[in-house]
């Protein structure tokens, strides 16, 4: 059974860089069928896709966040990571990592497995 | 402001049906058959309930069904049960973006 586990600091100050890691277990991050994503949810609000990466390093970013976001993958550790720079209070959210099925071809273009989420608070 | 429009709430008695709408544009819901629905209980991660408009993942009860007409997708929960009380979010591919609705809180009366 696939499991995803987020880890990283829970409290940041404004202007700092958010860094989170997602550890994948129960399946290989190098599987050709899957992509790996970050999604966030501000307290009491809806979901927002942030970025997606393929094990080869191909990346996709939400246009409105692209200037501040970097997603990377470490296949040797079965991990992928998120960096979000210059954070503000608006970046306070639960951050989820998720497995994404490809869009196009035989892919279903959906997020089928999610981690439990980690709350990141930005406050001075 | 979310890209997809959902009603904030919906409700029904046990055994009844409830339908949630998700309205987008021709750039997202109307342009792709990649609408998904997620169920989220308080303090928990979202769970995939419907993908590609109307397909159910293994293990999701057939009480959950999805459809789409034009730029509006819908999720219907038939035979409501107490455990169906949760927030439900729709999502869609939108070109080089991926968008969600603001969520609908379903209450089982």
């Amino acid at each position: 059974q696939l499991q995803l586990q987020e880890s990283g600091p829970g409290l940041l100050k404004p202007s700092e860089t958010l860094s989170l890691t997602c550890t994948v277990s129960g399946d290989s991050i190098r599987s050709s069928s899957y992509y790996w994503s970050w999604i966030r949810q501000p307290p009491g609000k809806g979901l927002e896709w942030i970025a997606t990466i393929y094990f080869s390093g191909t990346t996709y970013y939400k246009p409105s966040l692209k200037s501040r976001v970097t997603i990377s993958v470490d296949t040797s550790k079965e991990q992928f990571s998120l960096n979000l720079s210059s954070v503000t209070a608006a970046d306070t959210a639960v951050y989820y990592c998720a497995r994404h099925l490809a869009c196009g071809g035989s892919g279903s273009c959906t997020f089928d497995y999610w981690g439990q989420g980690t709350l990141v608070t930005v406050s001075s | 402001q979310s890209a997809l429009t959902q009603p904030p709430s919906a409700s029904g008695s046990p055994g009844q049906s409830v339908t949630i709408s998700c309205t987008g544009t021709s750039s997202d819901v109307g342009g792709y058959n990649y609408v998904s629905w997620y169920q989220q209980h308080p303090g928990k991660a979202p769970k995939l309930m419907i993908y590609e408009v109307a397909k159910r993942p293994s293990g999701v009860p057939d009480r959950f069904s999805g459809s789409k007409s034009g730029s509006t997708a819908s999720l219907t929960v038939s035979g409501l049960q107490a455990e169906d009380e949760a927030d439900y979010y729709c999502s869609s591919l939108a070109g080089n973006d991926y968008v969600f609705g603001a969520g609908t809180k379903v209450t089982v009366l």
Side-chain angles (χ1 to χ4, degrees), chain B residues 55-99:
Chain B
K55 297 180 179 179
R56 277 188 314 276
S58 174
V60 172
D62 59 7
R63 302 185 293 103
F64 291 85
S65 61
S67 63
K68 189 184 86 165
S69 177
S71 297
T72 297
S74 298
L75 173 72
T76 297
V77 185
S78 305
L80 268 174
Q81 299 183 4
E83 60 262 35
D84 299 333
E85 185 161 295
D87 293 326
Y88 292 82
Y89 294 91
C90 62
S91 69
S92 174
L93 181 66
N96 62 350
D97 200 351
Y98 209 93
V99 293

Side-chain angles (χ1 to χ4, degrees), chain A residues 36-38 51-53 59-61 69-73 80-82:
Chain A
W36 307 93
S37 297
W38 287 98
T52 294
I53 192 166
T59 57
Y60 306 85
Y61 295 106
V69 175
T70 303
I71 188 171
S72 59
V73 64
F80 62 104
S81 299
L82 174 73

Side-chain angles (χ1 to χ4, degrees), chain B residues 4-77:
Chain B
L4 305 180
T5 300
Q6 296 181 235
S9 63
S11 63
S13 299
Q16 290 186 332
S17 295
V18 64
T19 297
I20 304 166
S21 62
C22 171
T23 301
T25 69
S26 58
S27 297
D28 39 63
V29 174
Y32 305 93
N33 285 323
Y34 287 138
V35 175
S36 297
W37 289 90
Y38 303 89
Q39 176 192 67
Q40 186 178 38
H41 288 108
K44 300 295 187 180
K47 174 186 176 183
L48 178 65
M49 305 301 284
I50 296 287
Y51 65 98
E52 291 186 64
V53 176
K55 297 180 179 179
R56 277 188 314 276
S58 174
V60 172
D62 59 7
R63 302 185 293 103
F64 291 85
S65 61
S67 63
K68 189 184 86 165
S69 177
S71 297
T72 297
S74 298
L75 173 72
T76 297
V77 185

Side-chain angles (χ1 to χ4, degrees), chain A residues 39 41 45-49 61-63 96 100 103-105 107-112 114-116, chain B residues 2 34 36 38 40 43-48 50-52 89 91 93 96-102:
Chain A
I39 296 160
Q41 184 174 34
K45 295 187 178 181
L47 300 161
E48 180 180 45
W49 170 70
Y61 295 106
K62 188 171 188 67
Y96 294 99
H100 185 243
C103 302
S108 299
C109 198
T110 192
F111 304 99
D112 64 341
W114 297 61
Q116 64 185 26
Chain B
S2 298
Y34 287 138
S36 297
Y38 303 89
Q40 186 178 38
K44 300 295 187 180
K47 174 186 176 183
L48 178 65
I50 296 287
Y51 65 98
E52 291 186 64
Y89 294 91
S91 69
L93 181 66
N96 62 350
D97 200 351
Y98 209 93
V99 293
F100 289 87

